[in-house]
Amino acid sequence: QVHRLRSVDNLFVVVQEFKDYQFKENKEDALKDLEDLVKKLPWTDPLKVWELNNSLKKKKTKRKKHNLQSPASRGKLSDGGEEGGADQNNTNEQEDCAQNPVAVEPTGGQDTENAQGVASRNGVEEEEDNEQSDVKAEVQASSESGAKAGDGQTGEGEAKVLRFRVTCNRAGDKHSFTSNEAARDFGGAVQEHFQWKADMTNFDVEVLLNIHNNEVVVGIALTEESLHRRNITHFGPTTLRSTLAYGMLRLCDPKPTDIIVDPMCGTGAIPIEGAAEWPHCYHIAGDNNPQAVKRAANNISSLLRKNESKDSSTALGVPLDVIQWDICRLPLRTGSVDIVVTDMPFGKRIGSKKKNWDLYPACLMEMGRICTPGTGRAVLLTQDKKCFAKALSRVGHIWRRAQTVWVNVGGLHAAVYLLRRTSERAEEARPFW
């Protein structure tokens, strides 16, 4: 049931949580405290949960592991950001793990915030004011449960080698150590405690050490790959996480028979999540870029194939169509749409900040035209907040802002706006036909 949660990127079982951990000012003392902590932690029950999770997971994901993960990405915890963003930099691994007990993987460049690290429990994450880097440090260690530490042979049956690594995510500017050093020393102590041994990429157990200012959480990972990758197989330059798409859709509270439109759908992350989770609504996806429309169509085909393989006897289509169109002249009747949900161009990877000053007001006017007066609503994501606020003030007679949720999109501080349609009639667009 927990694996079926839709707004969660990664799952882990908490070994112990410290709300106000007092770090020593001296680096050696602070790291020694982390080493000593390992012996005091209540590992038994979390490891039982990990075993139970593993026994359920192996049945389901054996095939998936080979298909979905490239060799480069298999060696890391799936991290935040969109395709082509924070999770592209895992190819330059350091030295061979047999000789080097620690390997560091940068996540999203140097001294940048790893959005996934600290607030990875929700797809709609709260913005964190972090200046320090969260670096993933992998400490390898591998061993046998029930066998001697030095005995590297895998016996029949029970003597299965348990391999392990520590991933440390750190945020805050008052620590005397780096996340690499914390993972190295903490991992060394875990290795001594359990007599486990080393593998950085093909590990069985991933121990998570999350340090956020004075809050410390020690956990054991239950997911190999982030759950936000569940629907999308064809990625674009700004593919939205499925978890964030789910959060945006929930915000507008879809009702059965609602017509939900994503007029700038990109690879279709929002409407595909919508069709999967709200099948009693009708979803329309559109984009002006033919390549994006093609990717969205491919993603819909993948979803259909997945549905067929689950239960071929009752496989149905999905209530979703994808169309190429111009956002400022949508081929939809006035007042015919209940909900508009879209990821607006930030002006970074797609479009430009300058163009947004014309695009945003035109979009809001056209969205206002197609939405039902009085009951229509829109949920819009953008990082270009200044431009959006100005555009919204120009169309205040059509849209009223009901709520703003701050989110972290691949390290960018963005906002999700919930707008409600006023009862005022919008101007009719010139017909196409």
Side-chain angles (χ1 to χ4, degrees), residues 142-163 197 204:
S142 105
S143 101
E144 302 164 44
S145 24
K148 285 182 194 161
D151 186 355
Q153 319 246 323
T154 318
E156 303 272 321
E158 291 176 88
K160 154 95 171 69
V161 174
L162 264 192
R163 306 185 204 99
K197 231 173 131 193
D204 298 304

Side-chain angles (χ1 to χ4, degrees), residues 159-314:
K160 154 95 171 69
V161 174
L162 264 192
R163 306 185 204 99
F164 132 90
R165 85 174 184 191
V166 166
T167 300
C168 176
N169 294 296
R170 182 185 63 82
D173 50 9
K174 295 191 170 66
H175 306 126
S176 57
F177 52 85
T178 65
S179 40
N180 178 18
E181 291 163 337
R184 180 194 64 205
D185 290 20
F186 188 81
V190 172
Q191 185 175 13
E192 276 178 42
H193 185 67
F194 288 106
Q195 294 297 300
W196 284 344
K197 231 173 131 193
D199 199 321
M200 188 185 81
T201 51
N202 297 314
F203 52 89
D204 298 304
V205 185
E206 178 165 40
V207 177
L208 305 172
L209 177 61
N210 284 355
I211 300 169
H212 180 226
N213 293 324
N214 279 356
E215 188 182 339
V216 175
V217 182
V218 179
I220 298 171
L222 301 179
T223 41
E224 286 173 29
E225 183 179 53
S226 181
L227 300 178
H228 79 262
R229 294 171 169 270
R230 57 182 170 256
N231 292 331
I232 304 298
T233 49
H234 296 73
F235 288 88
T238 58
T239 297
L240 197 67
R241 294 159 166 267
S242 299
T243 43
L244 188 47
Y246 174 81
M248 288 171 67
L249 283 155
R250 254 193 83 168
L251 203 56
C252 55
D253 190 22
K255 299 284 188 283
T257 75
D258 274 355
I259 294 172
I260 304 175
V261 173
D262 182 349
M264 294 180 273
C265 69
T267 50
I270 295 172
I272 286 171
E273 184 67 21
E277 289 302 302
W278 287 272
H280 301 298
C281 298
Y282 176 54
H283 305 263
I284 307 173
D287 204 285
N288 68 342
N289 183 333
Q291 186 64 37
V293 173
K294 191 176 172 185
R295 284 183 186 133
N298 286 335
N299 283 324
I300 294 165
S301 300
S302 300
L303 186 68
L304 285 167
R305 280 197 298 276
K306 195 161 71 175
N307 289 354
E308 280 169 20
S309 63
K310 274 184 196 165
D311 186 0
S312 52
S313 59
T314 59

Side-chain angles (χ1 to χ4, degrees), residues 341-357:
V341 188
T342 199
D343 174 11
M344 313 264 293
F346 291 6
K348 287 184 179 291
R349 287 190 199 150
I350 285 185
S352 71
K353 295 257 182 187
K354 190 179 175 188
K355 284 181 184 167
N356 284 353
W357 286 94

Side-chain angles (χ1 to χ4, degrees), residues 24-136:
K24 299 272 171 59
E25 285 186 29
N26 179 300
K27 185 202 281 192
E28 284 69 27
D29 293 344
L31 292 171
K32 181 76 173 68
D33 278 358
L34 284 175
E35 280 183 48
D36 295 341
L37 183 63
V38 171
K39 300 186 192 76
K40 302 170 194 166
L41 292 171
W43 294 98
T44 314
D45 285 346
L47 281 167
K48 280 181 189 164
V49 174
W50 172 82
E51 278 177 27
L52 172 66
N53 182 69
N54 246 27
S55 66
L56 296 170
K57 191 173 60 179
K58 280 199 171 106
K59 292 170 195 163
K60 290 189 290 191
T61 61
K62 220 167 199 172
R63 193 183 68 228
K64 184 177 153 192
K65 188 174 173 184
H66 297 293
N67 294 346
L68 292 186
Q69 285 180 303
S70 65
S73 70
R74 210 174 289 145
K76 71 192 189 84
L77 178 73
S78 297
D79 45 15
E82 295 153 350
E83 184 70 13
D87 47 16
Q88 277 190 335
N89 13 18
N90 58 318
T91 46
N92 56 345
E93 310 222 334
Q94 306 230 331
E95 293 169 42
D96 191 291
C97 52
Q99 290 136 2
N100 184 7
V102 176
V104 184
E105 249 174 30
T107 55
Q110 293 183 317
D111 289 328
T112 57
E113 177 193 15
N114 173 6
Q116 181 90 4
V118 204
S120 65
R121 289 180 225 185
N122 275 316
V124 179
E125 294 151 278
E126 289 300 313
E127 165 69 2
E128 301 285 359
D129 253 347
N130 303 327
E131 313 242 334
Q132 291 289 316
S133 68
D134 292 342
V135 180
K136 229 188 265 164

